[in-house]
Amino acid sequence: MPWQIAVTTVAVVAVVLLPFVLLYIRRRWLTGQGGLFDCAYRVRDDAPGVGWVLGMARYRGEDLEWFRAFSFSLKPKVTFQRASTGFIHQRHPEGIEAVALFEASMIVTVRDRLTRRVHSLAMAPESVMGLMSWLESAPPGSHYLPTSADTPG
């Protein structure tokens, strides 16, 4: 009977620890694919300070990929294309945001110029500088998006 208790205990511990081990392995794998940094994303903005999801982001070619922190998916949830993403402004977290986000985060607001959708990201100040540099270093002319007046028709 004592060996059955030991086996059951080991099995329970393994089941409890497995998700944490998988999250650690996922983060290590994503880090190996490119520089990864902590970055929260606001999934909804129906009320002030709510809708933030902790995550991480990385630059991959001409894209900024955002991943949820507590997910097992290896695919990004949101992708920002450099050519269609424009910086709007940055600010310090206010109210409940200061508690919900990573310590010393700055909130950056960007706009997708194709869909006109506004996105909010929260990251460390040095990551904000990296994002701004990445957006500004796009090749000349890549930020030109034709309007309906520019297309023949």
Side-chain angles (χ1 to χ4, degrees):
M1 189 62 124
W3 67 271
Q4 294 167 333
I5 294 173
V7 169
T8 304
T9 303
V10 168
V12 168
V13 169
V15 168
V16 169
L17 292 180
L18 183 64
F20 298 106
V21 171
L22 291 176
L23 287 174
Y24 175 77
I25 291 170
R26 173 182 173 255
R27 182 163 182 124
R28 295 288 297 180
W29 186 83
L30 289 172
T31 300
Q33 300 297 310
L36 198 67
F37 60 96
D38 291 327
C39 178
Y41 177 70
R42 193 167 187 184
V43 294
R44 61 184 179 91
D45 58 358
D46 52 344
V50 300
W52 288 100
V53 177
L54 298 179
M56 50 210 152
R58 70 175 176 194
Y59 298 103
R60 189 112 194 232
E62 294 296 307
D63 296 333
L64 173 65
E65 300 175 332
W66 181 82
F67 301 84
R68 286 180 178 263
F70 300 105
S71 169
F72 298 117
S73 175
L74 297 175
K75 294 182 180 182
K77 282 290 189 189
V78 181
T79 301
F80 301 94
Q81 296 178 338
R82 177 161 46 180
S84 64
T85 302
F87 178 82
I88 298 177
H89 65 85
Q90 66 180 345
R91 65 178 176 84
H92 291 282
E94 299 171 351
I96 193 73
E97 292 174 330
V99 176
L101 299 174
F102 297 111
E103 187 176 347
S105 289
M106 292 292 295
I107 296 174
V108 176
T109 304
V110 297
R111 179 186 310 260
D112 185 328
R113 291 192 295 269
L114 293 175
T115 63
R116 301 273 188 230
R117 184 161 179 225
V118 174
H119 303 273
S120 294
L121 301 165
M123 59 189 80
E126 54 273 6
S127 297
V128 173
M129 292 304 293
L131 174 64
M132 292 172 62
S133 297
W134 180 74
L135 289 172
E136 291 175 2
S137 68
S142 65
H143 288 297
Y144 172 73
L145 297 172
T147 61
S148 58
D150 296 331
T151 56

